[in-house]
Amino acid sequence: MQILVVEDELNLAKALKRILEHQGYFVDTVEDGLSAIDYAKGMEYNLIILDVMLPQLDGFEVVRILRMDGVNTPILMLTARTSTSDKVAGLNGGADDYMTKPFEPEELLARVGALTRRKGEVIVNSIKYNDLELDLSSAMLSSGGESVQLSHKEFEVLKTFLTNPTMTIPTETLLINAWGLDSEATDNNVEVYISFIRKKLKYLGSAISIRKIHKIGYRLEVSE
Ligand code: CA
């Protein structure tokens, strides 16, 4: 079992590493959000333990970026803050569990055990949101018993929305996810593919539509 610990308080990072290694886990530690993203995308971890208050990108940003990039590793957020709104922000942003500092080693190990067990059992092969289901291996989009095949770019664009179904997605993010960083594709290319996807949603009779948010991007909307 490989665990990534992201914590800028070095004494705490060392303590976490010691506690976890004592239980037989292999532990990497990094101290900031950008390194966390590099490591999490470069290695198959069973769990990421992620502090909220970090230099550069904070923990919430790290979760958001990892989930947007399709990294499904379970994430346990650590924070000194105790307010409920932080907890909600962390879990809505794609974290799996949340623990406030200070904590007892037994509590940490119990949560780590629960999250790493779950990883072995859940195989994500489709994303569901409202009446939609997107099959990640076949790129088939289904709703209410009807199915339609998506092209590669339609798939990448829609997957970005369904992974973050309540967020406004910047056009730039859609360009990067579907066309890549080096592409010369423009906002117009995105617009064209959004229109293809809209036709397919309409064909399926889905309650989901895609709304353009002027000068920002697009978001999903659910009709009543
Ligand atoms: Ca910190």
Side-chain angles (χ1 to χ4, degrees), residues 7-9 51 53:
E7 172 59 76
D8 60 320
E9 289 164 46
D51 189 30
M53 297 297 284

Side-chain angles (χ1 to χ4, degrees), residues 47 67 72-77 90-91 94-98 115 118:
L47 176 69
R67 293 304 189 233
N72 292 317
T73 311
I75 295 177
L76 172 61
M77 303 284 283
L91 296 177
D96 299 83
D97 200 0
Y98 187 90
L115 288 166
R118 210 174 71 198

Side-chain angles (χ1 to χ4, degrees), residues 4 13 18 23 43 106 109 127 134 139 155 187 204 221:
L4 177 63
R18 197 175 56 238
Q23 297 294 315
M43 274 275 293
E106 295 75 37
L109 291 172
I127 307 179
L134 178 61
F155 172 75
D187 294 7
L204 292 172
E221 280 197 335

